[in-house]
Amino acid sequence: MTGVVEIDIKVPSRRKADVITAYLDKEVKQVLEVWAQSEQRSLSSLVAYLLTKAASSYQTEHQQASDRTRTISPEGKNEQSQD
């Protein structure tokens, strides 16, 4: 006699990220979809990557002079830097 064994595995959420909504022209969305597909990424993943890179660049250019500043790395991780 064979039986079925149920295993209940709770997988923790991989991401604990904030959600934003953006409204784009259809043409821009289509370009991003093609780009994401060419890099084998989801559209959401590509947009998150691009925004994180842009935020990091902005922060680097406009970093305030202070002893300890929280920065965003291009990989999206928060870092503590000492100037």
Side-chain angles (χ1 to χ4, degrees):
M1 182 174 184
T2 61
V4 176
V5 177
E6 284 189 37
I7 300 173
D8 186 21
I9 300 174
K10 300 218 186 295
V11 179
S13 174
R14 292 186 327 162
R15 305 207 187 267
K16 300 217 184 252
D18 289 340
V19 176
I20 64 169
T21 301
Y23 295 92
L24 304 170
D25 291 333
K26 183 182 272 189
E27 294 81 17
V28 173
K29 183 181 178 209
Q30 289 172 342
V31 168
L32 291 171
E33 287 173 333
V34 169
W35 186 354
Q37 191 173 37
S38 75
E39 294 192 8
Q40 298 180 344
R41 294 176 175 259
S42 67
L43 179 58
S44 177
S45 172
L46 176 66
V47 171
Y49 170 75
L50 294 173
L51 289 174
T52 300
K53 249 179 90 169
S56 179
S57 293
Y58 174 85
Q59 196 170 40
T60 299
E61 292 173 12
H62 297 89
Q63 192 169 29
Q64 296 178 4
S66 66
D67 293 338
R68 296 177 66 83
T69 304
R70 190 174 187 160
T71 60
I72 301 171
S73 72
E75 294 80 28
K77 298 177 182 171
N78 291 324
E79 299 175 342
Q80 291 288 336
S81 66
Q82 294 185 14
D83 296 335

